[in-house]
Amino acid sequence: MYFKSFFDENLAQMSYIVGCQRTGEALVIDPARDVTPYLETAEKEGFTITKAAETHIHADFLSGARELANSNQVELLVSGEGGEDWSYQYLDETKHQLLKDNDQFYVGNIRMDVMHTPGHTPESISFLLTDEGGGSEVPMGIFTGDFVFVGDVGRPDLLEKAAGEEGTSAEGAKQMFASLKRFKQLGDYVQVWPGHGAGSACGKSLGAVPSSTVGYEKLNNWALQFDEEEAFAEQLLDGQPEPPKYFAMMKKLNKQGPSLEKDRDMKQLMPEALEAYKTDDYVILDTRSKEGFKEGHLPGTINISYDKSLPNWAGWIIGYDQSIVLISRMDQVSDVKKMLESIGLDDVIAYVDADEIEKQSSLETYQNITPRELEAQYREHEDYVIVDVRNQNEWNEGHIQGAERILLGELQENLDQIPTGKTPIVHCQSGKRSAIAASVLQANGFKDVLNLTGGFSAYQKEYQPVTS
């Protein structure tokens, strides 16, 4: 048997290839939007990808399953559980099989047993792998998707919070409790191959280790320590972070079928051409470092730095009805485009070389201030307001007295919460999110915005206590 895992650090997403070396067949599980790594691996190892399986309709990334099916004649194996509301809508165009609880399918001589494991979503299924070709009669491992993670389990509140499905959080928690009972019955030796690692918003305390075992999780995973459903459900739903805004769109697109037309050409522009794109139909996204952006940027541009968090914040801030023009280093343009495509932001129409921006003479800047400067010069000044862009859990643990909390991802829709005539002093936990917020505020007319260096962490070291 051949086995390989793939980790997208931008989305903390795990996907897998399993191949039967005797028959040359291979299966991809929970493929990401960019299917190139799976095709390259299959070619290198001498496999033909014949099947692609999904554990559920994903809400946090755009799936590559449809592309594999349409471009490479791959059979799709997807959940037939959960009812009509949780069914894929593009399957008529593909060779496919709907899987139910206790179904089996083979990849060569490798057997997959299907377990319906609802909780995260109603249609969620897991795949229990037995290597019959290697002579085994017991399962080696289980692909759990967003059901069981290392140290955590999938959150059941996304459908309600992100997709507006009222009442699904409580029902999902009950289903998760029942699914975990089945999971506990598996052999302790069974390996656990989850769909996400630390950094994903699909749980609240995911571990950074990529895999585990059933026995280890039974001993150490907080969610497997409960014997009573009510206490479990209360703990599961408590403290879940706000789901990124784009999750609702991902659920919709993965259900309807991701676009197959993402590979469109981009044109290169000079900085002076960007004036034509300063309308609500476009967003000009500057992916330079926050330090570089602060020192000089074109008015009206949004700054999300080129790093692994770019897709997440782009999904929060950029509308799916907007076309995107990039300002980026030339060697990063292709990567940025792929990052955006991984969450369905496909309409990247043009780019500008960041070096050309830095040559311009009429650039906008903003100012950073220290916690001491905040207290000495601005704290009691009636012309300023402190804006905290952290999430609710962070706020509850401690915040600056008198601050207004507006979640970064919802800032553009809530600018009216900033008192008229006041200059915002923006902060997050350490300074990364507040730099994005400063760019959003400047682009929306708050030209004198101030950014608190080091964020709440730096402030808390200087001044105790803080309000909680």
Side-chain angles (χ1 to χ4, degrees):
M1 187 189 87
Y2 177 84
F3 177 98
K4 183 174 181 178
S5 62
F6 301 80
F7 184 65
D8 181 349
E9 66 174 1
N10 302 318
L11 298 167
Q13 185 247 337
M14 299 289 295
S15 55
Y16 304 87
I17 275 189
V18 175
C20 177
Q21 290 161 319
R22 293 188 181 183
T23 66
E25 300 170 71
L27 162 75
V28 183
I29 296 176
D30 286 336
R33 181 79 180 284
D34 182 8
V35 300
T36 304
Y38 315 119
L39 299 176
E40 290 178 346
T41 297
E43 182 178 9
K44 177 182 176 182
E45 301 296 336
F47 290 110
T48 299
I49 298 174
T50 58
K51 294 179 172 66
E54 290 210 297
T55 54
H56 63 296
I57 301 173
H58 301 286
D60 53 302
F61 69 95
L62 210 55
S63 167
R66 186 186 186 197
E67 183 172 337
L68 284 173
N70 280 265
S71 302
N72 300 277
Q73 291 76 52
V74 170
E75 180 183 13
L76 296 189
L77 302 164
V78 298
S79 178
E81 298 282 5
E84 186 175 347
D85 289 342
W86 312 108
S87 300
Y88 295 80
Q89 297 176 353
Y90 65 90
L91 296 179
D92 288 346
E93 69 187 47
T94 68
K95 181 182 179 182
H96 68 275
Q97 183 179 346
L98 293 177
L99 301 174
K100 297 278 191 176
D101 191 41
N102 296 318
D103 280 351
Q104 292 182 349
F105 65 91
Y106 279 82
V107 184
N109 297 307
I110 301 165
R111 190 182 86 220
M112 293 285 188
D113 290 277
V114 179
M115 290 176 58
H116 181 213
T117 50
H120 176 63
T121 61
E123 82 284 1
S124 290
I125 53 178
S126 299
F127 305 117
L128 197 62
L129 181 154
T130 302
D131 184 14
E132 291 185 354
S136 180
E137 297 180 354
V138 296
M140 175 187 292
I142 182 171
F143 297 96
T144 54
D146 291 14
F147 165 40
V148 174
F149 302 121
V150 177
D152 202 1
V153 294
R155 56 190 297 182
D157 62 321
L158 286 180
L159 294 178
E160 185 160 352
K161 290 181 178 176
E165 298 289 339
E166 190 173 346
T168 53
S169 295
E171 180 62 26
K174 293 179 181 179
Q175 292 177 336
M176 180 64 76
F177 185 74
S179 295
L180 289 174
K181 281 188 175 180
R182 291 187 69 186
F183 177 83
K184 291 177 184 180
Q185 294 170 6
L186 299 174
D188 286 354
Y189 55 84
V190 173
Q191 297 180 59
V192 176
W193 301 310
H196 292 285
S200 169
C202 289
K204 56 183 176 180
S205 56
L206 280 70
V209 177
S211 64
S212 184
T213 65
V214 171
Y216 187 86
E217 293 307 305
K218 284 161 65 174
L219 290 172
N220 294 285
N221 190 320
W222 71 266
L224 276 69
Q225 312 308 312
F226 289 84
D227 296 321
E228 295 183 1
E229 180 185 277
E230 185 175 347
F232 166 78
E234 182 179 353
Q235 182 65 30
L236 178 60
L237 293 172
D238 181 55
Q240 293 287 1
E242 293 95 336
K245 189 186 303 181
Y246 72 93
F247 274 23
M249 182 60 72
M250 291 300 90
K251 200 75 174 176
K252 176 182 177 181
L253 293 179
N254 280 323
K255 185 176 179 179
Q256 294 177 347
S259 171
L260 299 174
E261 301 178 358
K262 65 181 188 297
D263 296 323
R264 61 192 69 181
D265 292 332
M266 298 181 291
K267 56 184 177 181
Q268 185 172 359
L269 303 174
M270 293 303 291
E272 53 268 23
L274 290 177
E275 283 299 321
Y277 297 93
K278 291 182 179 180
T279 73
D280 291 342
D281 294 330
Y282 302 91
V283 61
I284 304 173
L285 176 62
D286 190 328
T287 64
R288 292 178 299 151
S289 70
K290 65 180 188 291
E291 294 82 9
F293 185 88
K294 180 184 80 70
E295 293 302 319
H297 55 270
L298 291 179
T301 57
I302 302 296
N303 177 224
I304 307 177
S305 298
Y306 170 70
D307 60 31
K308 65 181 182 180
S309 67
L310 188 151
N312 176 67
W313 291 117
W316 270 108
I317 292 169
I318 299 174
Y320 279 81
D321 57 349
Q322 291 181 300
S323 299
I324 302 168
V325 179
L326 297 177
I327 295 173
S328 182
R329 305 294 177 194
M330 294 298 286
D331 61 346
Q332 296 171 356
V333 170
S334 178
D335 281 351
V336 171
K337 184 172 183 289
K338 284 184 179 180
M339 287 179 173
L340 296 173
E341 289 170 351
S342 71
I343 59 165
L345 289 170
D346 294 350
D347 197 17
V348 183
I349 61 171
Y351 64 94
V352 175
D353 183 354
D355 289 343
E356 295 296 328
I357 297 295
E358 292 167 2
K359 296 176 184 176
Q360 302 300 301
S361 57
S362 56
L363 295 178
E364 195 170 63
T365 64
Y366 66 81
Q367 182 182 348
N368 285 347
I369 62 170
T370 66
R372 290 189 178 185
E373 288 172 328
L374 172 64
E375 287 295 314
Q377 300 175 41
Y378 303 100
R379 188 78 169 81
E380 302 299 329
H381 201 299
E382 63 180 14
D383 292 337
Y384 294 86
V385 59
I386 300 170
V387 178
D388 185 334
V389 298
R390 298 176 302 156
N391 64 40
Q392 186 68 55
N393 293 341
E394 292 172 306
W395 169 272
N396 291 345
E397 290 175 1
H399 55 268
I400 300 174
Q401 187 173 3
E404 296 283 342
R405 189 185 81 87
I406 309 176
L407 186 69
L408 170 56
E410 299 173 353
L411 182 59
Q412 291 185 109
E413 295 78 34
N414 292 281
L415 295 173
D416 58 350
Q417 292 186 27
I418 299 175
T420 303
K422 293 201 174 186
T423 298
I425 301 171
V426 67
H427 80 84
C428 60
Q429 191 68 23
S430 63
K432 180 177 177 59
R433 284 171 287 174
S434 63
I436 299 173
S439 76
V440 170
L441 289 168
Q442 276 202 324
N444 283 277
F446 294 89
K447 296 302 184 181
D448 296 325
V449 61
L450 300 173
N451 180 36
L452 183 62
T453 301
F456 183 75
S457 294
Y459 181 89
Q460 192 173 25
K461 288 178 181 177
E462 294 276 356
Y463 301 100
Q464 288 282 0
V466 294
T467 302
S468 62

